[in-house]
Each structure stands twice: as C-alpha cells, then as structure tokens.
Amino acid sequence: MTLSVSPVIFIVLSATALLGALGVVLSRNLFRAALFLVLSFIGVAGLYILLEVEILAMIQLLIYVGAIAILIIFVIMLSRQLMSPQYRAWNQQRRGGAVVAVMLFAVLAFVLLSVTWPTAEAAVPQDAIARLGRALVAPDQFVLPFEVASVLLLVALVGAVIIAREK
Amino acid sequence: MTEFFFNLTWLIPLFPLAAFALIVLWTNRNRLLSTWVAWIGIGLAWILGWTLFFLSGREVHSLTPPGGGHPVPLFSIPTGTTLLRLGFQVDTLTGLMLFMVPFVCLMIFIYSKGYMNYGREDVDPRYSRFFAYISLFACGMLGLVVSDNFVTLLIFWEVMGLCSYLLIGFWFDKSYKDPKRITPKQAGLKAFLTTRIGDALMLAGMLLLYSQTGTLTFREIFREETLHTLATSYAWGQVPWATLCAILIFGGAVGKSAQFPLHVWLPDAMEGPTPVSALIHAATMVSAGVYLVARTFPLFVAVEGGTQLAVVAFIGAFTAFLASTIAVAQNDIKRVLAYSTISQLGYMIAALGLGAYVAAVFHLITHAFFKALLFLGSGSVIHGVEHGHHHAPLHPSPSEGEGHGSEGEFDANDMMNMGGLLRRMPTTGWTFIIGALALTGIFPWAGFWSKDEILADAWRVFTHGGEFGVSMGWGFFVWLLLTAAALLTAFYTGRQIFLTFAGRPRTEAAAHAPESVPSMTWPLVILAAFATVLGLFGTPWANQFYALIGHQAEVMGREIAHGEFNPTVAGISTLVALSGWLIAWLIYGRKPLLVPVDPLEKALGPLYRWLKNKWYVDELYMALVIRPAIALARACYTFDDKIVIDPIVDAVGRFGRWLSEWLKKAVDNPVVDGAVNGVGQVTAWLGEFMRATQTGQVQNYLLVAAVTVLLLLAMFLIRTWGTWSVWLAFLTG
Amino acid sequence: MQVPLSWYLIVAAALFCIGLYGVLSRRNAIAILMGVELMLNAVNVNLLAFWRHGEVARGTLAGQVFAIIVITVAAAEAAVGLALVIAVYRARRTVDVEEVDRMKL
C-alpha cells in the first residue's frame, strides 16, 4: 500500500468498526444488533491488517465472527424474546449511561491526545508468524500464559456445558 | 493590781451567760445542778462586781468621764469609713450599778429556789428553764451597765427585753375564765410590743447621733467639742441635734422604765412569777431606763435650758403622780407594787429632768433594794396564801364563799383574800413593813434620804434656779407633783400593809398560810438590812454618792450642786408621809376589814372606778391604736391577699400551666419529639435511600463504578494538569 | 505516511465507550454481552496499536501474545455467559436482566 492511502483506509475501516458498534448498541432488534456486531468485528479485523498483524486479523475473523457471533445468534434464536410485544430494549439508566460513556470518551481522548507517546517505528519482520509461534511456546517467553489460557478455555467450556444443560 | 481586775470586766456579763448556756445545754434535767450553776454564775459576777465597785470607788478622780471610765476595749468592727470600737468600761456610775445589780440578783436567785417550789411535789415543771432565763437576763443587765458604747448597750438592752418577754410569759399555758383578765402570754407580748415603741425611738436617736458624730462610743460622743457641735448644729434648721437625739433616746427610757405613756405594760407584767417581778420590774430592768438617761446625761445637758430636760421632768413627775393615784384602787398585791414602781421611777426620771443627777442615781440604788424586798415579800405572801388555799379544810368560813376572785377562781394575789398574816408569817411581815417604811420615806430608812434629796433638789431649783438652764417653774411643778405622789404612796402602802398583815384572816387560805422556806426568807432579811442602812451613805452631810458620781456631769465646766439639807422640805415630806400612813390606818387599820369590800369604793364613787381602771389608758390605746392597727392589718391582708396576691399567684399558676402546655406543643413535641423521631426517621429514610442503591441490578452497580472511575480520572487529571488548563487544552484540542 | 498511534487510540477509546454504553443501558442479557465483546475488541486494538508503534523495534511480541490471550478469554467468557443466559432463560423464562434482581435488599 502506498503511504498516502493508509489514512483513508484507516478512516474507512474505523468507520466500519464504529458504525457497526453503534448499530449494536442502538438497534432495538436483537438480531440486527448481532449482525451489526459482525460488521464491527470485520472492521476491527481490517484495522489489524492495517497494523500489519495479519495473523491476528485472521484469528479475529475466525474466532469472533465465526464462533462468538454465531454463538450469539444461536442464543438469540433460543431465547425468542424479541418477538414479544412488550419487549423493551433499554433500561432506566440509558441516559445516565450515555452521559458516562460520552464523558469517559472525552476524558480518554483528552489524555490520549495530550500525551506524547514514546513511539519507535520499525518494520515488521518477515517471519513474524514463526516468531509468534515460538513466543507462545518458548519457556523463556509466554508459555505460561499460553498454557493457563488454554486451561481457562477448557474450564470455561466444561462449565458452560454444565450450566447450560437440561436438568 | 487594779488594772488586772478592770481588765476582767468582760467576765461580769459572761458568768451568768455561761450559766445560761450550761443550764440550757446540759443541766436542764437536774434541778439542783441548774440551781447551783445559776447561783455560781451570778455569785461570781457579784464578787467581781463588788471588787470593781470598791476599786472604782477608790480611784474616783481618775475614772471620771467624760473621757474617763476605765476602758476595756473588746474589738473593733470596720464599718466603711469609720471603725466601731466596742468595749467595756467601769467608771463610778458603773461601779455603783455593779454594787447593786449582781447583789440584788443574787438575793432573788436564792429566793427563786424556794419560790419555784424546789423539793416539793408541786415544783414548777419548767424549773431549770426559769434559772436559765434569769441568768440570761442577769447577763443582759450586767452587760448593759459595763458597756462603753451604744452598740453593746443596745444589744444587752434587747437581751433584757427578750428575757422580760420570756419571763413574763413563763407560765404561758395559764389561762383565766374571765376573758378580760390578761393571760401571761398576752402580758409578755404587751410588754415586748410596748417597750418596742420606746426602743424604736431610742434606735432612731442612736442612728441620728451616729450620723452626726460618726461614732457610738460614749467617751467620744461626750467629749466637749462633740457635745458643743451637737448643741450648736441644728436638725432641719430648727432643733439642736443634741436635743433631738436626747429626746429620742429618752424614748427608750420611757418604754423600758414604764413611764407615761408607755407605762401600760408593767402592771400586766405582774402575771409573771414574783421573782421576775422583783428582778426585772423593780430592781434592774426598769432602772435601766434611768441608767440610760444618767449615762447619756451629758447629751441632755449639752443645750442650755433645752426642751429635752423639760420633757424628761414633765414625764417623770406626771408619771409619778399618775401611778400613785392608780395604786390606791388596786386590790392585787403585786399590782400595787407595780404602780408603786412606776411612780418611783417617775421620781428618778423627774430628778434627772431637773438636773439632780446624784439624787436620781441615789434613789435608783435604794429603790432597787427596797422594791425588790417588797416584791419578794409579796411573793412570799402569795406563796403562803396559795399553800394555805390548797391545804385549807374543805368547808369555807362563814364570812364569804370561796374568796375574792373573778368568777369563782381563787386569786392568791388579791389582798382582799388576805389579812392577819403578820401572825402567820412574821419574817415576811416584818421585812415587808421595813420595806414599806423605806418606800414611803420614813426617817431613817433608805427611802427617806433618797426621796428627800430629790424633793430638796426640786425645791432648790424652784427657789434658786437650776443648773443646766432648768427653769424655776419646772422645779415647782416637779416638787408639787412628787410631794402629792409621796402622800399617796404612803397611803396606798399603808393600805397594803393593813389589808395584808393586820386584822384577821378574811379567808381560810389566809388562815392557814404558812411562813415561807428559809431560802425565801433569808434574802428578805438581808435586803431589809440594806434597805435600812443604805440610806446612811447618802445623807446630805456625808453623801458618798455625791463623792462617787458627783463629777459625772462635769460637762461644759459646770458641776452639780452639792445637795444641802433643807429642813423645810424634809419636814414637809415627813409630814406628808405620816399623814398618808395615818389616813390608811384610819380606814384600814383601826377597824380591820372583815368583809372583802373596800370602803374607799363607796367613798370615792366614780373616782374610785376611774382609778381602778387605770384612768382608762389601756382602753384609750385599744381604741386609738390597737383596733385601728388591727383593722389596717386586716385591710392590708384583704387587699394584699385577696385582691393582689391571690390573683397574682393564681395568675402565675395559670400562666405556668399554660406555658408548660404551650412549651409542650411548641417545643417538646416538634423539637424534642421531632428530634427523637427525626433521628429514627432519618435513619429509616437513609436506610431506604441506601437500599435504593442495592437494586440487585448489576447494570446499576456498573454505572456507579463507571462514574467513579470517571471521577477518579478527572481528579487525577486536574491534579496533574490543573483545572483550567485541562479544560482549555481540551477545548482547544 | 503511517497512521499515527493516537488515531488508533482514539478509535479504541470510542469503541470502548460505545461498548460501555451498551453494557449500561441494554436490558437484554445478550445485548449486554455484545457490548462486552465490543469493549474487548477495543482493548485488543489498543494493544496491537501500541505493539506496532513501539515493540516492533525492540523485537518483543508481548502485544500480540496479549491480544491472543484476550481473544481466548473473550471466547471463554462468551461461552460461559451465553450458557448462563440459557440457564436463566430456562429458569425464569426471561432474558431481561432487570427482572433478574433477586440479589437486592
């Protein structure tokens, strides 16, 4: 990609992500919200590609879109609430929540813009994926978090099965 | 050595005071012990008193006032700008009083043992209290005569007033069937209140004196400069201060010495026991008024020819005459003596009013002895008749029924119930007669010398004019009235003697009257001896009294004239006295009365009634003073209580209730209850409020957490970058 | 020119806040879960942006690894959460979180 294009691409992708997110929180229809969620995930994946971490973009698409979003849709189907006429989408504190969210964004934006981040530009190495793989299992790098995360996943799935099964 | 004894002056009133305290606090139950305590108290005072008398007599010239007297300072009381110095002094006047007072008191104290029936089954139930009271009284009189200032004088004056009240009303539970007869309780009150009037005047005089001189010590007031200032400065521009104060102080003497118009209490004071009558109302307390005038004599003579002496002379002479007329028609043996006392006091006061200082004091001393003797004698007679009444056979004598008395009560004091007692009670009788001879001024008994000196001095004032500016007219006035009184005195005294001792007993009681016990008769004998001999110390040729106190009034550079013997006056007075006795004998002695009816009654008719009712003075007072006072008191009571105080109290009560109710509604309920309830309610509300936060909704908790984080961030930002810069940077990007 | 770091951070912050709003204000449990997923996404964007603009020069891969872990955790959490939603739906016949308030006073 040429350097002058990346800001435009960035804007497009972030707009996708953000608009998708807005759609999630503002849709009354839950199913539509789920679909907006998928859109947002795709946008984020695009951002990852822009950040030259293609592996994570793939993982994002695979897991978030492929697994989590699908799971959410399944559960929406299973709960069938959106069909009822008294269905209310928002609770009493939506205004308060909105205020808090906006203000938080304002504060965060202010901080983020005020601070001069100590950046260091460099090129991503060619064998980034290989390095990642090695990092995940190397005993002097991140094998422990890796293993713990996998245990967590196992426990969570087992737990989920137990919680969700019919008595 | 002399110094030593004079410094012990303060002990003299202290001895009987200690006796009083001891009896009241410890020996009350033991009669014998109480008697001895009282006797020892007065006995010690007597010994010390005679010691001081003799010592003062030896040092006459160094002790003469106005600045003299042997001062024994006690203590000083700071009073703002000045210092009140209190103390005792013994000059010759005091010495004379110390000769008479403790000795007579001792005689009476000894007599009292028998009179209060010690040792018999009818002993007075309040026997010890009697001795306590008379001891306290002795303290008062002794303290009075040794005082060197008006303050302690007033204190002891009032002590005596109190004891007089207590002792007159000693038998306070005695009542009579006749409502017109005054009871001891009432008599005590009457005495106190009447003398109170005099005391108020005296106090006013003392206060004015203090205001003018700034001191209350005799020595300082009677200095020549002070007296001169008092005589020449005028109150309200009209009356010299000296005169005003003198007359006011004389008011106290009028009250205490029972002069007209405050004489009404003394006859009724006879309701008290006879020793009391002898002690207080014959020998000592009533002579305190005379002593007062004598002591403050320099004040009376400070103003030349002033009205104060005229007032004194008039009142004295008039009283002497008035009382002697009333005595003529009295049947109560003690009342005759009471009026006789008033009369004799009038003599003394009149003498002082004429400037006859020495004569007055002379008569004071002699009168004390023979009047005490007479009273004690009468007490002995009454005692005898009473005992005779109790032990008489039950059937009455054919002459009369139960005896003269009001409404069937037997009155042992009534002379009409007596008669022929000389045979039954010889010691009493003969000593009584000696006393009577002294009283009526028969040569050579004491009364002759002292009374005669007064009359002689009066005559001298009439013929030569008096010192101190007393006018001749007063001299004549006094001489005339006193001589008339002497005639009457002899008459009623003779009447008394003949009715009581001569003839035959008119009642069974009299017929069985026993002679009194030795503790009663011995004092009579001793006093009779004094009454006989004492006069010889005051004869015009060797007047010891003059020697002792003649220099007392050496004020303004003048002397009291030395009384010379005036045969004319002496002759007239003797004649007068003998005439009185003769008339009395003619009426009462020649044919002794067999029936209890006074022939004088028929002879004088309405005049007799006038005299018997004491010139209706009591009734006059009742109508003019007492009834209006009571009416005023009642009116005030009605006004105060019913119109003013009751409504006020009720209103206060109502207001209080209303206030409390209002407070309850306005304060207690809203505030207090409100506070208490409020606490509860606030807690409940807080709880509800707090509870609202526990919604159970996770999203609510989350919102709160988000807000908190936001706030923390904001705080952190502000801390790091400051408020305005944060906002500014944010707004400008 | 490269996209500056701060842009990525802003986007991540916005995404996070939108997700927060969804969590705070939706009634449906599943909708809340979706908001949570958005927030986790934002975190990942943050992490990777910082890795790209800093760590690459140093040669460490902490940013990437952390992002992978976050995704793992997100997956696990989504599974469990949805299982809970189903369990609650079975018990209460509702997925409205406002009606599941048994823990209040």
Side-chain angles (χ1 to χ4, degrees):
Chain A
M1 306 284 148
T2 56
L3 295 172
S4 58
V5 174
S6 25
V8 178
I9 297 173
F10 172 81
I11 287 170
V12 171
L13 288 170
S14 44
T16 315
L18 290 174
L19 287 171
L22 279 172
V24 170
V25 299
L26 294 178
S27 306
R28 191 181 146 77
N29 190 327
L30 210 58
F31 192 70
R32 241 181 245 155
L35 292 177
F36 272 118
L37 188 66
V38 172
L39 183 64
S40 179
F41 287 160
I42 293 171
V44 170
L47 280 173
Y48 290 169
I49 293 176
L50 202 56
L51 281 169
E52 299 179 72
V53 278
E54 300 83 0
I55 177 77
L56 268 150
M58 293 304 129
I59 293 173
Q60 167 93 353
L61 284 172
L62 219 70
I63 295 182
Y64 265 108
V65 177
I68 295 175
I70 301 300
L71 195 57
I72 287 174
I73 290 168
F74 268 125
V75 173
I76 289 171
M77 296 302 188
L78 280 174
S79 57
R80 273 198 271 174
Q81 274 251 286
L82 65 154
M83 297 308 168
S84 79
Q86 298 116 304
Y87 178 68
R88 286 173 294 174
W90 285 280
N91 65 11
Q92 288 164 327
Q93 59 181 34
R94 61 188 295 212
R95 289 201 188 84
V99 167
V100 169
V102 167
M103 283 187 66
L104 184 62
F105 175 68
V107 170
L108 286 171
F110 174 68
V111 172
L112 295 169
L113 291 173
S114 313
V115 174
T116 40
W117 302 103
T119 56
E121 303 298 333
V124 179
Q126 289 281 19
D127 57 345
I129 296 174
R131 282 176 183 245
L132 180 62
R134 224 174 290 132
L136 283 174
V137 294
D140 56 343
Q141 289 191 59
F142 301 102
V143 65
L144 189 58
F146 179 65
E147 296 301 332
V148 169
S150 34
V151 170
L152 172 71
L153 206 50
L154 174 66
V155 167
L157 290 172
V158 170
V161 167
I162 292 174
I163 291 170
R165 70 173 176 183
E166 301 249 2
K167 288 286 186 306
Chain B
M1 190 59 189
T2 339
E3 218 34 60
F4 169 72
F5 283 110
F6 279 117
N7 283 336
L8 293 177
T9 310
W10 53 279
L11 275 177
I12 292 189
L14 196 69
F15 283 132
L17 181 67
F20 165 73
L22 276 171
I23 296 177
V24 165
L25 293 172
W26 277 296
T27 67
N28 203 350
R29 294 231 187 80
N30 188 332
R31 294 210 179 92
L32 185 61
L33 205 54
S34 300
T35 316
W36 277 102
V37 166
W39 283 359
I40 290 173
I42 194 66
L44 288 170
W46 166 60
I47 293 171
L48 190 55
W50 273 23
T51 312
L52 289 179
F53 164 65
F54 284 117
L55 286 173
S56 70
R58 277 199 310 177
E59 298 191 6
V60 167
H61 290 280
S62 66
L63 294 177
T64 51
H70 201 97
V72 179
L74 258 189
F75 50 87
S76 312
I77 303 175
T79 60
T81 50
T82 55
L83 210 60
L84 261 186
R85 266 176 271 266
L86 305 183
F88 292 132
Q89 76 174 24
V90 181
D91 62 2
T92 41
L93 177 63
T94 305
L96 258 181
M97 298 300 283
L98 284 178
F99 165 73
M100 182 266 284
V101 171
F103 183 72
V104 173
C105 285
L106 180 64
M107 291 298 109
I108 296 173
F109 276 42
I110 296 175
Y111 177 91
S112 300
K113 176 163 175 262
Y115 189 81
M116 300 308 256
N117 288 323
Y118 175 81
R120 301 165 62 107
E121 74 274 4
D122 56 349
V123 64
D124 193 299
R126 292 189 283 266
Y127 181 90
S128 302
R129 192 190 292 195
F130 184 78
F131 278 91
Y133 286 161
I134 54 177
S135 297
L136 183 63
F137 172 82
C139 161
M141 187 68 195
L142 290 167
L144 181 87
V145 300
V146 298
S147 289
D148 80 333
N149 62 84
F150 275 108
V151 177
T152 50
L153 182 131
L154 181 67
I155 292 172
F156 289 113
W157 184 272
E158 297 292 348
V159 167
M160 285 202 295
L162 170 71
C163 289
S164 175
Y165 164 76
L166 289 172
L167 284 163
I168 293 172
F170 189 71
W171 292 316
F172 53 79
D173 41 15
K174 195 169 178 189
S175 64
Y176 300 115
K177 288 201 204 109
D178 179 6
K180 288 234 257 328
R181 253 186 101 166
I182 193 165
T183 62
K185 196 162 64 167
Q186 292 169 328
L189 266 172
K190 184 173 178 179
F192 212 0
L193 289 173
T194 315
T195 52
R196 209 358 132 227
I197 299 173
D199 293 347
L201 291 170
M202 183 172 84
L203 187 63
M206 278 182 359
L207 292 174
L208 285 173
L209 205 55
Y210 181 71
S211 75
Q212 292 302 306
T213 59
T215 176
L216 284 174
T217 315
F218 295 143
R219 195 168 317 116
E220 287 167 26
I221 296 179
F222 298 148
R223 263 200 299 238
E224 212 167 305
E225 313 89 57
T226 325
L227 286 173
H228 190 80
T229 320
L230 284 171
T232 48
S233 56
Y234 292 82
W236 310 301
Q238 303 274 354
V239 184
W241 281 110
T243 307
L244 182 64
C245 294
I247 293 181
L248 286 173
I249 290 175
F250 180 59
V254 167
K256 217 48 147 205
S257 295
Q259 298 299 294
F260 177 84
L262 296 176
H263 64 282
V264 290
W265 64 273
L266 191 54
D268 289 323
M270 296 299 118
E271 293 299 321
T274 310
V276 170
S277 307
L279 181 66
I280 300 182
H281 308 127
T284 45
M285 192 176 89
V286 291
S287 53
V290 181
Y291 171 79
L292 176 69
V293 179
R295 173 55 78 201
T296 55
F297 198 65
L299 193 65
F300 281 83
V301 300
V303 178
E304 185 84 27
T307 38
Q308 69 274 13
L309 284 177
V311 169
V312 173
F314 171 73
I315 287 182
F318 181 70
T319 308
F321 177 70
L322 167 74
S324 55
T325 58
I326 299 177
V328 163
Q330 299 300 313
N331 284 336
D332 186 323
I333 190 173
K334 281 173 69 173
R335 278 199 162 69
V336 175
L337 292 173
Y339 283 106
S340 169
T341 308
I342 297 175
S343 180
Q344 296 303 304
L345 289 167
Y347 268 78
M348 300 174 218
I349 300 280
L352 284 169
L354 292 177
Y357 183 87
V358 177
V361 176
F362 184 19
H363 197 55
L364 176 87
I365 302 289
T366 55
H367 171 265
F369 280 95
F370 58 69
K371 199 38 82 52
L373 166 63
L374 285 170
F375 264 110
L376 294 184
S378 74
S380 177
V381 164
I382 293 167
H383 230 228
V385 172
E386 259 177 8
H387 290 155
H389 179 66
H390 289 310
H391 296 295
L394 288 171
H395 54 84
S397 69
S399 49
E400 33 40 63
E402 217 181 321
H404 212 243
S406 37
E407 309 212 354
E409 275 181 336
F410 179 75
D411 188 7
N413 291 24
D414 198 326
M415 291 191 291
M416 292 304 174
N417 289 335
M418 300 175 189
L421 287 179
L422 190 57
R423 235 165 281 129
R424 302 245 3 123
M425 309 169 74
T427 322
T428 306
W430 284 110
T431 51
F432 199 93
I433 290 172
I434 291 174
L437 289 171
L439 170 63
T440 52
I442 305 292
F443 177 90
W445 275 276
F448 170 72
W449 301 105
S450 56
K451 233 194 219 176
D452 192 65
E453 187 166 338
I454 296 180
L455 291 169
D457 278 334
W459 186 260
R460 189 174 37 83
V461 169
F462 170 52
T463 50
H464 295 102
E467 308 90 9
F468 316 120
V470 182
S471 70
M472 296 191 216
W474 280 115
F476 180 70
F477 177 75
V478 170
W479 179 84
L480 187 65
L481 282 184
L482 291 189
T483 309
L487 173 68
L488 290 169
T489 304
F491 172 68
Y492 66 66
T493 310
R495 171 176 178 265
Q496 189 174 36
I497 299 280
F498 292 128
L499 277 178
T500 312
F501 296 107
R504 289 226 297 271
R506 283 184 283 279
T507 59
E508 282 298 316
H512 291 87
E515 179 57 274
S516 298
V517 293
S519 68
M520 288 169 74
T521 51
W522 271 110
L524 294 175
V525 172
I526 296 173
L527 286 171
F530 271 87
T532 313
V533 164
L534 206 57
L536 299 173
F537 286 96
T539 59
W541 305 284
N543 198 336
Q544 303 298 318
F545 283 85
Y546 187 83
L548 278 173
I549 56 172
H551 305 282
Q552 290 282 99
E554 245 170 30
V555 289
M556 311 292 205
R558 276 168 311 186
E559 272 192 28
I560 303 173
H562 200 115
E564 298 111 21
F565 180 67
N566 190 326
T568 326
V569 175
I572 295 178
S573 62
T574 309
L575 197 65
V576 154
L578 288 173
S579 322
W581 275 98
L582 184 66
I583 303 173
W585 180 75
L586 284 173
I587 302 180
Y588 301 101
R590 196 158 50 134
K591 274 191 318 194
L593 285 184
L594 291 174
V595 285
V597 173
D598 198 337
L600 213 53
E601 209 170 326
K602 243 187 339 209
L604 295 178
L607 180 63
Y608 184 83
R609 251 207 325 277
W610 173 265
L611 294 179
K612 190 172 170 84
N613 282 308
K614 310 162 269 167
W615 291 38
Y616 293 107
V617 173
D618 274 319
E619 287 74 7
L620 184 72
Y621 285 166
M622 185 60 135
L624 274 185
V625 178
I626 297 175
R627 285 238 171 77
I630 293 180
L632 180 66
R634 266 207 201 100
C636 286
Y637 165 75
T638 312
F639 178 73
D640 276 349
D641 244 48
K642 300 224 175 68
I643 301 179
V644 175
I645 292 187
D646 272 355
I648 290 178
V649 171
D650 287 347
V652 170
R654 271 203 307 273
F655 173 72
R657 261 227 306 276
W658 170 84
L659 183 69
S660 76
E661 275 169 19
W662 176 82
L663 275 177
K664 180 168 164 55
K665 275 194 297 243
V667 174
D668 195 45
N669 282 345
V671 175
V672 176
D673 282 358
V676 171
N677 292 348
V679 169
Q681 267 165 9
V682 163
T683 312
W685 173 79
L686 263 176
E688 299 258 358
F689 178 72
M690 287 297 153
R691 186 200 207 216
T693 59
Q694 305 290 329
T695 57
Q697 310 266 357
V698 179
Q699 283 169 311
N700 295 343
Y701 303 159
L702 199 57
L703 182 63
V704 171
V707 169
T708 309
V709 167
L710 200 56
L711 284 173
L712 286 171
L713 272 174
M715 271 167 44
F716 184 70
L717 281 176
I718 290 170
R719 208 165 80 81
T720 319
W721 282 300
T723 329
W724 293 119
S725 58
V726 170
W727 280 110
L728 232 75
F730 178 70
L731 290 172
T732 56
Chain C
M1 85 183 190
Q2 279 270 34
V3 178
L5 171 61
S6 54
W7 289 28
Y8 283 107
L9 300 180
I10 295 289
V11 169
L15 205 54
F16 183 84
C17 292
I18 292 168
L20 182 65
Y21 173 67
V23 168
L24 289 179
S25 61
R26 295 289 297 228
R27 282 178 94 107
N28 198 307
I30 306 165
I32 294 172
L33 268 162
M34 289 198 271
V36 173
E37 296 305 325
L38 286 173
M39 287 160 83
L40 287 165
N41 262 318
V43 167
N44 269 344
V45 169
N46 218 337
L47 281 167
L48 288 170
F50 271 114
W51 177 81
R52 179 67 184 81
H53 289 273
E55 279 194 276
V56 173
R58 291 196 291 281
T60 52
L61 291 166
Q64 285 194 12
V65 172
F66 205 169
I68 290 174
I69 304 289
V70 170
I71 292 175
T72 313
V73 170
E77 163 259 325
V80 172
L82 291 165
L84 278 170
V85 167
I86 290 180
V88 166
Y89 181 70
R90 278 216 199 98
R92 306 251 160 220
R93 278 283 144 204
T94 182
V95 196
D96 187 340
V97 294
E98 280 216 338
E99 293 176 25
V100 186
D101 56 357
R102 288 292 289 273
M103 266 179 73
K104 72 169 177 189
L105 284 176

Tab-separated table of all heavy atoms in Angstrom, chain B residues 503-520:
chain	number	residue	atom	x	y	z
B	503	GLY	N	-55.192	42.814	161.263
B	503	GLY	CA	-56.540	42.289	161.398
B	503	GLY	C	-56.584	40.785	161.432
B	503	GLY	O	-55.632	40.122	161.875
B	504	ARG	N	-57.690	40.281	160.944
B	504	ARG	CA	-57.873	38.843	160.996
B	504	ARG	C	-58.009	38.310	159.579
B	504	ARG	O	-58.445	39.012	158.676
B	504	ARG	CB	-59.141	38.546	161.794
B	504	ARG	CG	-58.984	38.839	163.280
B	504	ARG	CD	-59.533	37.683	164.062
B	504	ARG	NE	-60.962	37.528	163.801
B	504	ARG	CZ	-61.893	38.158	164.524
B	504	ARG	NH1	-61.564	38.956	165.503
B	504	ARG	NH2	-63.152	37.952	164.239
B	505	PRO	N	-57.655	37.061	159.395
B	505	PRO	CA	-57.727	36.491	158.038
B	505	PRO	C	-59.137	36.519	157.512
B	505	PRO	O	-60.081	36.214	158.227
B	505	PRO	CB	-57.257	35.052	158.207
B	505	PRO	CG	-56.614	34.981	159.542
B	505	PRO	CD	-57.136	36.100	160.379
B	506	ARG	N	-59.268	36.939	156.264
B	506	ARG	CA	-60.597	37.014	155.685
B	506	ARG	C	-60.991	35.731	154.971
B	506	ARG	O	-62.124	35.555	154.579
B	506	ARG	CB	-60.685	38.186	154.700
B	506	ARG	CG	-60.813	39.531	155.416
B	506	ARG	CD	-61.006	40.640	154.410
B	506	ARG	NE	-59.722	40.974	153.771
B	506	ARG	CZ	-58.812	41.758	154.324
B	506	ARG	NH1	-59.043	42.314	155.500
B	506	ARG	NH2	-57.683	42.000	153.710
B	507	THR	N	-60.001	34.874	154.717
B	507	THR	CA	-60.309	33.606	154.060
B	507	THR	C	-59.630	32.473	154.789
B	507	THR	O	-58.700	32.680	155.564
B	507	THR	CB	-59.816	33.589	152.612
B	507	THR	OG1	-58.403	33.796	152.632
B	507	THR	CG2	-60.495	34.641	151.783
B	508	GLU	N	-60.090	31.292	154.498
B	508	GLU	CA	-59.463	30.108	155.048
B	508	GLU	C	-58.028	29.989	154.608
B	508	GLU	O	-57.157	29.555	155.351
B	508	GLU	CB	-60.235	28.841	154.604
B	508	GLU	CG	-61.498	28.600	155.374
B	508	GLU	CD	-61.203	28.381	156.836
B	508	GLU	OE1	-60.253	27.629	157.170
B	508	GLU	OE2	-61.895	28.987	157.670
B	509	ALA	N	-57.823	30.386	153.364
B	509	ALA	CA	-56.468	30.287	152.835
B	509	ALA	C	-55.513	31.109	153.660
B	509	ALA	O	-54.428	30.674	154.024
B	509	ALA	CB	-56.475	30.758	151.381
B	510	ALA	N	-55.950	32.337	153.943
B	510	ALA	CA	-55.079	33.202	154.743
B	510	ALA	C	-54.880	32.647	156.126
B	510	ALA	O	-53.812	32.782	156.730
B	510	ALA	CB	-55.682	34.604	154.793
B	511	ALA	N	-55.920	32.004	156.606
B	511	ALA	CA	-55.823	31.491	157.968
B	511	ALA	C	-54.821	30.361	158.075
B	511	ALA	O	-54.286	30.078	159.148
B	511	ALA	CB	-57.204	31.017	158.430
B	512	HIS	N	-54.603	29.683	156.972
B	512	HIS	CA	-53.697	28.539	157.022
B	512	HIS	C	-52.386	28.791	156.299
B	512	HIS	O	-51.667	27.866	155.981
B	512	HIS	CB	-54.381	27.321	156.396
B	512	HIS	CG	-55.508	26.812	157.232
B	512	HIS	ND1	-56.774	27.304	157.134
B	512	HIS	CD2	-55.539	25.872	158.198
B	512	HIS	CE1	-57.561	26.687	157.988
B	512	HIS	NE2	-56.833	25.808	158.664
B	513	ALA	N	-52.086	30.063	156.035
B	513	ALA	CA	-50.876	30.344	155.258
B	513	ALA	C	-49.633	30.104	156.095
B	513	ALA	O	-49.494	30.656	157.173
B	513	ALA	CB	-50.921	31.788	154.776
B	514	PRO	N	-48.717	29.277	155.592
B	514	PRO	CA	-47.503	29.021	156.348
B	514	PRO	C	-46.412	30.030	156.005
B	514	PRO	O	-46.447	30.669	154.957
B	514	PRO	CB	-47.094	27.628	155.866
B	514	PRO	CG	-47.570	27.588	154.458
B	514	PRO	CD	-48.767	28.478	154.355
B	515	GLU	N	-45.461	30.158	156.925
B	515	GLU	CA	-44.308	31.005	156.621
B	515	GLU	C	-43.497	30.310	155.532
B	515	GLU	O	-43.513	29.089	155.403
B	515	GLU	CB	-43.453	31.205	157.883
B	515	GLU	CG	-42.213	32.046	157.659
B	515	GLU	CD	-42.460	33.430	157.108
B	515	GLU	OE1	-42.548	33.560	155.870
B	515	GLU	OE2	-42.581	34.374	157.902
B	516	SER	N	-42.765	31.096	154.762
B	516	SER	CA	-42.038	30.508	153.627
B	516	SER	C	-40.744	29.864	154.068
B	516	SER	O	-40.255	30.102	155.167
B	516	SER	CB	-41.754	31.600	152.591
B	516	SER	OG	-42.945	32.119	152.115
B	517	VAL	N	-40.159	29.099	153.144
B	517	VAL	CA	-38.949	28.359	153.456
B	517	VAL	C	-37.768	29.317	153.614
B	517	VAL	O	-37.805	30.443	153.111
B	517	VAL	CB	-38.634	27.340	152.341
B	517	VAL	CG1	-39.698	26.272	152.318
B	517	VAL	CG2	-38.571	28.045	151.003
B	518	PRO	N	-36.738	28.909	154.296
B	518	PRO	CA	-35.602	29.788	154.557
B	518	PRO	C	-34.962	30.351	153.283
B	518	PRO	O	-34.532	31.503	153.273
B	518	PRO	CB	-34.592	28.890	155.281
B	518	PRO	CG	-35.412	27.826	155.901
B	518	PRO	CD	-36.602	27.626	155.021
B	519	SER	N	-34.933	29.563	152.218
B	519	SER	CA	-34.317	30.108	151.005
B	519	SER	C	-35.077	31.313	150.514
B	519	SER	O	-34.586	32.098	149.721
B	519	SER	CB	-34.255	29.045	149.910
B	519	SER	OG	-35.555	28.740	149.472
B	520	MET	N	-36.316	31.455	150.965
B	520	MET	CA	-37.074	32.647	150.605
B	520	MET	C	-36.958	33.723	151.666
B	520	MET	O	-36.941	34.914	151.350
B	520	MET	CB	-38.550	32.304	150.392
B	520	MET	CG	-38.769	31.521	149.107
B	520	MET	SD	-40.408	30.840	148.966
B	520	MET	CE	-41.355	32.280	148.599
